[in-house]
Each structure stands twice: as C-alpha cells, then as structure tokens.
Amino acid sequence: MKTEKRENQLMKTLNVLWFAFWTFFLSTLSAREPLPVVSDSVERSWIGPEFWSNPTMNWKLSGGRFENTHGGWINEVHSLTHQLKQGDGVFQMSVRLGLMEDPSGSRSEIGFAGFTFGAVGHRNDYRANILHTLQNGFARELLKQPPVRAGIVSDGRLLIGSKYSDKRLNSKQMMNAELKLKVQYVGRKIEVWLAVLNAGQEVAVFESSLERDSLIGNVAIASHGLNRPAKYNRDARVIDHARFWFSDWQLGGEKFQANMEQTLGPILWTQYTLHENRLNLMAFFVPMEESANKVAKLQVRSGNDWKTVAESDIEPLSRTALFQVKGWNSGSDHEYRVTYQWESLKGASVATWGGTVRKDPVEKDTIVLAALSCSNSDLFPNRFLTDNLIAQDPDLVFFSGDQIYESNGGYSTVVPQSEAEVERAALNYLGKFWLSILGFRDLLKDRQTVMTPDDHDLYSNDLWGKGGMAMTDSRCFGGYHGHVDWVNMIEYTQMGNRPDPYDSTPIEQGIRVYTTALNLGGVSFALINDRKFKSAPGDVVDEMEPLFDMRGERNYPQMDTINEESFDTKKLDRDDLQLLGERQLAFLRDWGKSDATLRAVLSQSAFCQPHHLMYADMDSNGWPQSGRRRALEVIRDANAVMVTGDLHFPTLVQQGIDDWEDAGWAFTVPSVSTNTHRRWRPKVPGKNRQPGMAENTGRFLDGWGNKITMWAIANPLSVDIEDPYRGDGEETLEYIRATAQGYGLVKFHKSEGSVTFESWPVYGNSETLSERDQHSGFPKTVEIR
C-alpha cells in the first residue's frame, strides 16, 4: 500500500515537472504573429477575417467569446493565418472555455469541446482544410488522415484522439475552465499532453501517444457532437448536445507557420455584367454587427486617384451590395474596387476588393464562354480549376446551376417555413454558397459572370416551379418549398447582377423573374430558367394510372422516374403542359430578332434526356414533349446553340423535332465536383453513325420518344487521361479526371459563323493546357449560319 502511495506521489511529481518543462520550453517558441485579440464589444455571426467558422449559422462573436449557439456534428472555428507545417516540431495551444447556459436542461447527445489539429482536406490548403470531415463518396476518396481531437467531453472525461481519461470533471469545473495543449511530433510519433485548469489550479491532466505519417494542416476550436452521425442529414435536424463558449485562444511553437495575409472578409468577392453601357456589379459580404456601416462604395481608378462612381446599401438578408451604373464607357478597360469602412481589431479600417471591368470585346473575332455546373464544396477552393480557367482567359463565365448541394460544408440544411426562420436559413445557405464560389473569386473579378440557380440551390431534389406556386404536397406535385423571402434571397445572390429582366413582373408568391439577354462582343446570350414555369409530374397523375397498375401501387413520391420500358411515355404529354412558359417563349421570340452575329441560350438542363439512369426522367427537359417542341422551335428560329449543365458529364447533342438534326446544338458541360450514377448506355447502336465517331454516338430516341443525335459523350469512369503533374493535390486531379469532371469552353467564331464546343478535364499545370487532351469526342466545331 505504501509502495503504491509512493508511486502515485512520484507520478504526480513527474507530471508537475513535465508541465513546468513544457511551459518554460514552449514559452520560448511562441508564434511571431499571435492570433488576434478578439473584441469584447462586438456581437455578430462572423468571427473575423483571420478565422472561419463552419457553419457560420452556429457561431456568434459576443463579449469577446466564440459562442457555439446550436448543436451539430460540424461546429468549428479555424485559424486561417496559422497552420502546422511539415517536419518534426512542437507546438502549444490554450483557450478558456465553458458550458453555455442551457435552459432546456439535459441534452440527448454527448458533446465534445476543445481543439482539432492536423486537419487536412482534399489537399493541404488553409481553405480546403476547413472541409476535413465531408462524408460523401468523393470526399472518402480524397481526404487524408482525420485530424486529432484533444479536449473535454460533456460527461467530464478528457479526450485525446480516441482515448479517454479515467478521471472526470464535474459540471462546475467545466463552467469556466482553461484548456492547455502541448504536442511534440517526431518521426511518426505524436506525444500529446492535455491539462484542464480551473481558477488557475490544475484539476485534470491526460497524456497520450499517437502515430501518423505527417502532422500538417489547420488547427481549430470545436464544439460538436462526440460521435459522427451514421449518415448525412439533409433536413434541419441537429445533434442535441451540450454547447460551449471559447475565449483567449492562444498558440505558439516552432511547428506553426504564420501567414497573416490568409484572411477572408469582410468583402468576399464580386461578380458583374456589362450590357449596353450599363454595369451591374454585385459585391458579397460577411454578416456584420447591427451597428456596423451598411453602405459600400464602388470606385474606379482615375490616374493615381480613385473616383467613387456608385454607392449601395448592403442588403441585410443576402449580405450583398449591388452597384448599377448607367452610361458606363464600355469601350475601355476600367480598374475598379469596392471599398467598405468597418471597425477591425486594429480600429477603423477600409476593406477593399477589386479587379478590372473589361471593355466590350467587339474587336475580337472569337468570344469565349466558360461554362461550369454542379459544384459542391468538396474541391474548395478549386485552385487547379481556377488556374486553368484564368490561363484560358474566357470573356464570360456561366454557372449553369447547382452551384451548391445540400451537403456543402458538411452540415445539414435549414428550410424556413415562417418569416421568423428566414434569417437562420439565409446564413445556412450563404455558408454553403460561399464555399462553392469563393475559390473562383480571382477569376470572376476580371470578367463578366452570370449564374442560374437550379434545384439543389433551392434545397430541392428536382424542381417543377409551376409559375412560382408554393409546394403543398409531395415534391412531384410541384412548387417551391421554403418561405418566399428565402427563395428570393437565394435567386438574388445568383442572378441579381444580370442585366434588367425582359419582364420583371413577379410570379406567384411574389417570386422574381430574371429572364434577360446579355450582349457581349457581338454575341448575344439568352438567360432563361428551365424550372421556374415547368409543369410537374402531378399534373399528369390521371394519365399515370396505367403505370400505377403496372407497379401495383400509386407511389406518388416515385412518379417522376419511369423504369418500365413497356410504358408509352408519350401518353404523359398534353399541349397545355409547360416547359419554359409563355413569358419566356415571348422573350426568346423577340431576342431571336436581335442584330447579333451569333446567339446562345444559357439554361439549366438539356431539352432532352441524354442519360440512362432510368428509362424516362421527368426532371429532364425531354418532358413535357409539347413544351420541348415549342421551346426548340423558337430557339431554332433564333439560330442559337444551347449550353446547359445538370447532367454531371459532358454530352454534345443535335436536337431533332420532326426529324433528326432539324433543330439546334445542345452542349451539356461536365460537373465541377460532383460524381454521378448517370451514364449514356444505349442498348442498340446509334443510327447514321459517322466514320470515326464513338460506338455510343449516332441517332437515338430518348426515353420520351424525342429525336436526338449524340455526337460526343464522356461517361464517368470511362475516361483515361494522363497528366504529368506530380505534387500536392495529385490524387484530387486523378479522381476528377477519371469521373469526367471539369468544365466547358464554347468559342464563338464570328467571321466564320461557327461555334467550337470544348470539354476540359482539370490539369495540374495550366501552362501546358494547349497541349493536353480533352474529354472524348471534343473539341467539335459546327457551322451555325
């Protein structure tokens, strides 16, 4: 017994000596650039430019504390300025923390609070590393070792990695404590020492060892559920765990590298259009405090000075400022910047973000459109893709839809049903949207940009808008779900910088309409919405009775997908069913009479079904056939090509109405970062296949009986493209090339009256792009006039 006592006493003494050694040793290794001191007089959702909270909606800066306000598996605040670098070394972190007041009493889930370190995303980048816990298939392929957690559990235990202490803290000790972490990495071995102090007195110590190939990446503070959910939740359910506040976060040690330029906000990015000497430029902001300045300025360089040409209030829900300038001189390039006065931690500051408003390139013979589609946050910040596109220097960038997916950021969705829920739902969407677009900001600042939201942007798995009606039943009966203010906010963030709409009259519920034209360099682009007026499967529920008889049930939730090849899908068509709606058809008729050299219709999804995931898909614009016919006839009269996304892999189709190839060309671009189960897998060879064309090309009928001629297809996992790039992110590039992901370029050759369609994989070295292969079947040049 005495021996055991002496051993315990010896261990205590060693712990004290160990703590003293680390404290002295690491005090000499403090970071040259410490984390900023957080203001105790500001209350807002955004922490500050040196930090990134994920999700923003679950954190609040208040009284100098980072407060975790809502539960969830993803609940972290990352340092953007300090990362762990390669090699052996030591580092330390400390933070004050405590339990948030909990009026509801007990919680159903155990929570974790403390540090996350060694967080690495699909590549080691301070932005990509924020997304180290994504669970979808793409992330599982690319994410490295999970980060290490070190902190306390809401049941009182200390946690390092997957190991727990025997000792437990009581609730009083967790109300206001200090957490100290010390880590040594040598070879593959990590030695971790963790202590909890209360009122300056040590109340618990825990040590553990781990092994891993490297220790690099982000560090963060975290307050989330202890156990990862079995699967991702799309809806607003959150893990109901104890929540914590944090303050006085400090770090130091030779293992850290600091780059104080690695900040985000308060201005995130800009996007603009220039049409008929009118500039529409939109700037995106983070959520600021209630007392903050609410006005931003647009300035243009004039010699050595800057001239303010417009001011704009920051719209409170979307956190955007829209600058509209009439009489803009479109014959010259203009350097611009958006400025915003705000109170930073250093006092009164001016934030700026700018680029170049390019002149209208009427003198160029070839106008280049870059088209992107289906971008979740897995590849944030899209460095390779952005570098490729900047090197290829398009005149116009088009995001065709699904700029976000519900899984963006790794946290669930919030769909507001009442006005009171709109604010939190707005932050829910904005956090996801930022992670998709922020990485493109160096591309967007210097060239015109247009976007069209699709179903997933509005948290809908398929969308039949029916003229703006509210969804009242199963999704297959159509309409928009979510409060109208939230719907309008989402659409405004993506379409608010378009030229003025052809007809701005709102549709049902007061949902806005943005259908319009953009003229650039002698080429005219029609910007339409496939989903907004489209009829729903529920509109033909009576005609589906024979199909339900075949299935043995009226399965309304699955009525939009048809796998029964014996069913005649032409029976689901009626003349009164809508695709684009009469308003958009009227616009296209007028637009087709304009004096443009070449024309293109930019929309969400192809006007046919060029895939075989199921026999017939009502989400595709192959249905309703009568609506498709009316749309293609008007587009054919305009002699326009069509550029869309949504499918996730690239296809080039020549449409047919009464006969094959009697209508226009339709290019579906690949996805940016979303894999798919869709494929083009015809059971019979295509008719009239030309020499040299691939086996799956030629004339076909799609599942709706529409005539289509397939000229090029790059099915996912059928692509074998070599890239000599070696280095960080190599696995990312290999994966996205194999899955046929990438982007499209459309080149409009005015003097030749032709258009070239290009489908590009993403390469690691943008300097060799001209020598690299495209997706199979591309490029393809076609005569238009």
Side-chain angles (χ1 to χ4, degrees):
M1 191 70 170
K2 288 182 179 179
T3 304
E4 189 178 330
K5 260 187 167 181
R6 280 198 298 270
E7 287 178 352
N8 288 338
Q9 186 60 44
L10 178 61
M11 288 301 296
K12 260 189 169 183
T13 303
L14 287 173
N15 279 336
V16 171
L17 291 173
W18 179 249
F19 174 71
F21 165 75
W22 273 92
T23 302
F24 170 76
F25 179 62
L26 287 168
S27 66
T28 66
L29 299 173
S30 59
R32 293 180 182 177
E33 296 286 352
L35 291 176
V37 177
V38 177
S39 172
D40 60 3
S41 61
V42 175
E43 183 171 320
R44 64 187 180 212
S45 301
W46 179 56
I47 303 298
E50 300 86 1
F51 304 98
W52 188 269
S53 56
N54 190 37
T56 300
M57 66 174 184
N58 282 1
W59 290 91
K60 182 173 71 173
L61 178 62
S62 180
R65 308 192 314 189
F66 304 168
E67 296 183 351
N68 174 217
T69 59
H70 293 76
W73 165 246
I74 304 296
N75 266 323
E76 294 180 330
V77 177
H78 283 248
S79 166
L80 298 179
T81 55
H82 293 73
Q83 280 76 45
L84 298 176
K85 61 185 179 182
Q86 288 280 5
D88 297 345
V90 295
F91 70 91
Q92 65 176 346
M93 289 193 287
S94 65
V95 71
R96 301 200 66 84
L97 79 167
L99 280 164
M100 296 281 289
E101 291 185 11
D102 188 358
S104 65
S106 63
R107 293 287 181 178
S108 60
E109 298 278 347
I110 297 176
F112 164 81
F115 300 109
T116 294
F117 61 90
V120 179
H122 70 91
R123 63 178 300 176
N124 185 21
D125 178 287
Y126 70 99
R127 296 155 295 185
N129 295 344
I130 294 168
L131 304 178
H132 60 85
T133 59
L134 300 180
Q135 298 182 61
N136 58 37
F138 180 79
R140 283 197 298 270
E141 292 285 339
L142 298 178
L143 292 183
K144 313 299 182 187
Q145 299 177 87
V148 180
R149 291 185 294 179
I152 60 176
V153 180
S154 57
D155 65 7
R157 292 175 295 172
L158 275 65
L159 172 66
I160 297 175
S162 60
K163 298 178 182 178
Y164 297 90
S165 67
D166 294 327
K167 182 172 181 178
R168 294 177 184 253
L169 303 171
N170 58 46
S171 57
K172 184 178 180 181
Q173 290 171 326
M174 290 191 291
M175 291 303 294
N176 191 343
E178 183 178 6
L179 195 63
K180 287 184 175 290
L181 173 74
K182 309 183 195 312
V183 179
Q184 175 182 267
Y185 179 72
V186 178
R188 297 186 69 255
K189 193 171 185 180
I190 308 173
E191 297 286 351
V192 184
W193 183 89
L194 184 68
V196 179
L197 285 73
N198 194 280
Q201 298 296 312
E202 179 188 297
V203 293
V205 175
F206 187 43
E207 301 172 50
S208 185
S209 298
L210 305 90
E211 287 193 359
R212 58 191 287 157
D213 293 334
S214 65
L215 186 61
I216 58 175
N218 281 21
V219 296
I221 56 172
S223 173
H224 53 63
L226 178 63
N227 300 310
R228 179 192 290 268
K231 63 179 182 178
Y232 167 76
N233 290 326
R234 287 170 62 99
D235 62 25
R237 289 175 293 166
V238 296
I239 300 172
D240 188 25
H241 58 77
R243 300 182 304 279
F244 288 77
W245 57 261
F246 302 85
S247 68
D248 195 24
W249 182 14
Q250 298 182 21
L251 52 77
E254 63 179 357
K255 192 83 169 74
F256 275 113
Q257 61 183 6
N259 184 342
M260 306 311 290
E261 301 301 313
Q262 293 178 172
T263 60
L264 293 171
I267 308 173
L268 296 175
W269 79 88
T270 55
Q271 58 194 50
Y272 72 87
T273 59
L274 179 59
H275 174 75
E276 297 181 352
N277 296 321
R278 177 167 178 149
L279 176 71
N280 284 350
L281 187 146
M282 178 176 280
F284 291 77
F285 291 80
V286 296
M288 299 299 290
E289 62 273 21
E290 183 62 33
S291 61
N293 172 31
K294 294 176 175 56
V295 177
K297 296 180 180 180
L298 174 63
Q299 298 181 331
V300 175
R301 183 178 288 281
S302 177
N304 295 323
D305 299 321
W306 289 93
K307 177 184 177 183
T308 298
V309 295
E311 294 187 2
S312 174
D313 291 342
I314 299 173
E315 200 278 319
L317 199 58
S318 65
R319 277 76 179 187
T320 61
L322 178 62
F323 303 95
Q324 297 180 302
V325 185
K326 296 180 180 179
W328 186 272
N329 177 11
S330 59
S332 302
D333 291 344
H334 298 279
E335 186 180 353
Y336 75 90
R337 70 180 187 183
V338 174
T339 68
Y340 177 67
Q341 294 184 340
W342 68 295
E343 289 293 324
S344 73
L345 299 175
K346 300 174 182 177
S349 301
V350 178
T352 63
W353 179 259
T356 300
V357 175
R358 295 183 176 186
K359 66 180 181 179
D360 187 13
V362 291
E363 79 287 353
K364 290 181 63 175
D365 187 56
T366 298
I367 301 299
V368 181
L369 167 75
L372 302 97
S373 176
C374 304
S375 174
N376 61 29
S377 59
D378 287 1
L379 286 182
F380 178 68
N382 299 292
R383 280 174 52 188
F384 288 123
L385 182 56
T386 302
D387 289 346
N388 283 197
L389 281 167
I390 290 175
Q392 291 171 315
D393 196 20
D395 301 289
L396 174 65
V397 181
F398 169 48
F399 291 85
S400 69
D402 294 340
Q403 275 65 262
I404 71 166
Y405 281 82
E406 291 86 339
S407 62
N408 270 34
Y411 56 91
S412 60
T413 59
V414 177
V415 179
Q417 303 304 323
S418 67
E419 186 176 355
E421 298 172 316
V422 169
E423 170 61 25
R424 176 164 166 77
L427 287 178
N428 179 270
Y429 159 79
L430 288 172
K432 295 174 183 289
F433 185 53
W434 297 337
L435 291 173
S436 279
I437 307 301
L438 247 176
F440 293 104
R441 64 179 185 167
D442 287 329
L443 173 73
L444 307 189
K445 68 184 179 66
D446 297 324
R447 47 190 52 80
Q448 298 196 51
T449 304
V450 290
M451 295 183 182
T452 301
D454 205 354
D455 49 352
H456 290 286
D457 296 290
L458 293 155
Y459 298 175
S460 294
N461 188 14
D462 301 336
L463 173 65
W464 298 275
K466 294 191 67 173
M469 67 168 282
M471 186 183 295
T472 57
D473 207 327
S474 161
R475 67 182 181 86
C476 286
F477 285 84
Y480 289 79
H481 73 155
H483 193 276
V484 64
D485 290 347
W486 178 76
V487 172
N488 276 333
M489 179 274 301
I490 291 173
E491 295 201 331
Y492 181 70
T493 61
Q494 299 195 26
M495 296 189 287
N497 70 302
R498 287 183 174 191
D500 289 347
Y502 175 78
D503 179 355
S504 62
T505 307
I507 51 179
E508 287 194 39
Q509 298 190 80
I511 291 177
R512 300 174 193 144
V513 178
Y514 293 88
T515 302
T516 191
L518 171 66
N519 298 330
L520 190 155
V523 178
S524 188
F525 299 92
L527 311 178
I528 62 174
N529 290 72
D530 307 339
R531 315 293 192 185
K532 188 156 279 189
F533 297 92
K534 185 176 178 177
S535 298
D539 294 332
V540 291
V541 66
D542 292 338
E543 289 85 345
M544 294 193 78
E545 286 299 336
L547 185 63
F548 294 149
D549 289 342
M550 295 171 64
R551 295 177 177 179
E553 62 175 331
R554 288 184 176 85
N555 51 353
Y556 292 155
Q558 287 82 43
M559 64 191 298
D560 60 315
T561 58
I562 301 170
N563 292 305
E564 294 84 355
E565 295 186 28
S566 61
F567 179 74
D568 183 3
T569 57
K570 293 181 181 178
K571 293 181 178 179
L572 300 183
D573 186 33
R574 292 198 313 263
D575 284 342
D576 64 316
L577 298 176
Q578 300 296 315
L579 178 56
L580 296 185
E582 185 50 45
R583 282 175 60 175
Q584 293 196 115
L585 290 175
F587 157 72
L588 288 172
R589 291 187 192 100
D590 283 353
W591 170 76
K593 301 171 186 175
S594 65
D595 226 6
T597 306
L598 293 168
R599 297 185 183 88
V601 175
L602 309 184
S603 62
Q604 291 128 314
S605 193
F607 290 10
C608 58
Q609 185 185 313
H611 73 83
H612 292 108
L613 180 60
M614 64 283 295
Y615 175 62
D617 182 6
M618 300 180 93
D619 176 58
S620 80
N621 287 333
W623 179 86
Q625 297 94 318
S626 56
R628 171 187 181 267
R629 167 183 284 273
R630 290 190 291 271
L632 288 181
E633 286 174 344
V634 174
I635 294 170
R636 179 177 60 185
D637 290 344
N639 203 24
V641 300
M642 290 162 277
V643 183
T644 61
D646 187 46
L647 192 61
H648 295 191
F649 64 95
T651 67
L652 181 60
V653 177
Q654 194 170 6
Q655 302 278 16
I657 303 174
D658 297 311
D659 199 359
W660 278 276
E661 298 108 36
D662 68 352
W665 292 84
F667 178 33
T668 299
V669 302
S671 72
V672 168
S673 56
T674 305
N675 199 0
T676 182
H677 298 293
R678 295 190 185 101
R679 305 286 191 276
W680 176 253
R681 294 176 289 207
K683 293 183 178 180
V684 296
K687 296 179 180 180
N688 200 40
R689 183 157 55 92
Q690 303 299 305
M693 289 177 63
E695 291 183 2
N696 56 0
T697 58
R699 291 174 175 174
F700 297 92
L701 294 175
D702 70 7
W704 299 101
N706 300 310
K707 295 178 175 67
I708 58 174
T709 302
M710 305 295 292
W711 286 90
I713 310 103
N715 280 331
L717 303 179
S718 68
V719 178
D720 185 17
I721 295 175
E722 296 294 328
D723 183 6
Y725 176 83
R726 296 293 179 266
D728 187 30
E730 180 182 344
E731 293 178 19
T732 300
L733 290 171
E734 289 177 356
Y735 187 88
I736 62 179
R737 282 195 300 271
T739 50
Q741 297 176 70
Y743 57 96
L745 291 181
V746 185
K747 297 180 177 178
F748 299 87
H749 311 292
K750 294 186 293 187
S751 61
E752 297 175 3
S754 64
V755 177
T756 300
F757 301 98
E758 300 182 354
S759 183
W760 283 91
V762 182
Y763 286 102
N765 186 351
S766 59
E767 295 177 0
T768 62
L769 280 175
S770 60
E771 307 164 13
R772 308 310 302 157
D773 293 331
Q774 296 183 36
H775 289 131
S776 58
F778 295 93
K780 172 73 174 174
T781 300
V782 301
E783 297 294 327
I784 301 300
R785 66 166 195 259

